[in-house]
Amino acid sequence: MTQDIAAEFQHRFPAVSSELGPENLARLLNACTVVDLPPRRKVFRDRMPVDSLYLVLEGEMLASVEDGGKTLELGPVKPGDWLGEVAVLSGEMLASSTVTTLTRCRALKIHARDFEDLVIHDPDISHVLLGQLVDLLAERLRESNATAAKLAKP
């Protein structure tokens, strides 16, 4: 992985980068590939198979779900966000939403097997990545609860 990608990752994911340190960051980035995605591309489709996680570096996306023929927008996906982590961590390997690019996007893609290898065989990387993901999922749950509370008010 190039120094430019490492610098961009450090800019977009400062907490992960700081906790990993240079050597572990290099190992993580070596497991990733850079993907460029055009506008209006479906990165994931709700309830469809997922084989990778994405770490968004650039661009805007939208997460949504279909319910009874209606599309419910869950919110934006922006640089510094993770995608596919719920599918990979749950072992279900199915998307929990549809994610569509709104603009040209760039992301780091890590295949689920490579992610699992890092988590299983490298305790330093495992500790950081899983800790970050727990924090991320907890924040999403808090946001969902706050939204549900607003919707429930008369």
Side-chain angles (χ1 to χ4, degrees):
M1 197 65 52
T2 68
Q3 289 292 352
D4 291 343
I5 295 299
E8 189 170 1
F9 184 87
Q10 290 169 331
H11 174 68
R12 298 298 187 189
F13 298 89
V16 175
S17 299
S18 174
E19 284 188 56
L20 282 174
E23 289 178 22
N24 290 328
L25 177 58
R27 284 202 298 278
L28 171 63
L29 294 179
N30 284 335
C32 297
T33 56
V34 178
V35 293
D36 289 303
L37 304 163
R40 296 177 303 284
R41 174 81 159 296
K42 297 219 184 295
V43 180
F44 295 128
R45 290 183 188 271
D46 191 21
R47 309 308 303 157
M48 295 302 291
V50 171
D51 70 352
S52 299
L53 305 156
Y54 292 81
L55 301 154
V56 182
L57 297 173
E58 184 179 306
E60 296 177 32
M61 302 180 200
L62 179 67
S64 62
V65 292
E66 297 279 327
D67 185 28
K70 296 178 184 176
T71 300
L72 175 64
E73 292 184 0
L74 300 176
V77 178
K78 58 195 178 317
D81 286 344
W82 299 63
L83 293 174
E85 74 289 342
V86 172
V88 171
L89 289 174
S90 71
E92 193 174 55
M93 304 305 285
L94 295 175
S96 57
S97 64
T98 297
V99 177
T100 307
T101 59
L102 301 175
T103 64
R104 186 185 72 75
C105 296
R106 198 156 64 109
L108 294 175
K109 179 180 180 180
I110 182 168
H111 195 280
R113 279 188 317 261
D114 296 327
F115 179 80
E116 289 170 4
D117 283 346
L118 283 172
V119 168
I120 290 169
H121 300 296
D122 196 320
D124 293 335
I125 291 176
S126 174
H127 175 75
V128 172
L129 293 182
L130 294 178
Q132 289 288 322
L133 286 169
V134 166
D135 291 346
L136 169 71
L137 295 173
E139 179 60 27
R140 286 185 185 166
L141 182 59
R142 284 190 289 275
E143 289 172 2
S144 293
N145 288 342
T147 300
K150 286 179 188 174
L151 293 173
K153 289 183 180 178

